Amino acid sequence: MSTNSSVDFSERRARFRQYDTAEAVIAYLQRLETQWPERAAIVQHIVDLVMALHQPQPQVLELGCGPGRLAEVVLAAVPNLHYTGVDLSPPFLKFARQQLTAY
């Protein structure tokens, strides 16, 4: 691995640690929705794929789950889902845990 890759990864990781409040994470999510409107169709496609599994308890592993927006939509649509989310950002994971307590 080159030094540039390590530096780049460290910089990206540090950038996502800046979202240390719920308000900052919500602002990030709003920007994401504005900048990537196609995301809603992608999320719906993922929900459709999980529902098409016809499993008694489908399992989903999401790498880079961020603040849990996809998880929230999938868990609402498939209540018996076993979901695992992984992310490098502690603030995003904290936000996701708080938002997903009902699940």
Side-chain angles (χ1 to χ4, degrees), residues 11-24:
E11 290 171 2
R12 285 185 284 150
R13 188 172 181 189
R15 184 178 70 224
F16 285 104
R17 291 179 184 270
Q18 72 180 325
Y19 300 104
D20 56 353
T21 66
E23 293 79 17

Side-chain angles (χ1 to χ4, degrees), residues 31-84:
R31 281 193 313 275
L32 187 63
E33 289 176 11
T34 301
Q35 294 171 356
W36 190 15
E38 306 86 2
R39 190 169 185 275
I42 294 168
V43 168
Q44 186 57 52
H45 181 69
I46 292 169
V47 168
D48 294 344
L49 289 172
V50 172
M51 292 177 77
L53 293 173
H54 301 294
Q55 298 290 319
Q57 186 177 24
Q59 297 184 31
V60 169
L61 169 63
E62 183 182 6
L63 303 175
C65 66
R69 185 57 57 101
L70 173 63
E72 188 173 10
V73 174
V74 177
L75 286 163
V78 186
N80 56 333
L81 178 74
H82 177 82
Y83 171 86
T84 303

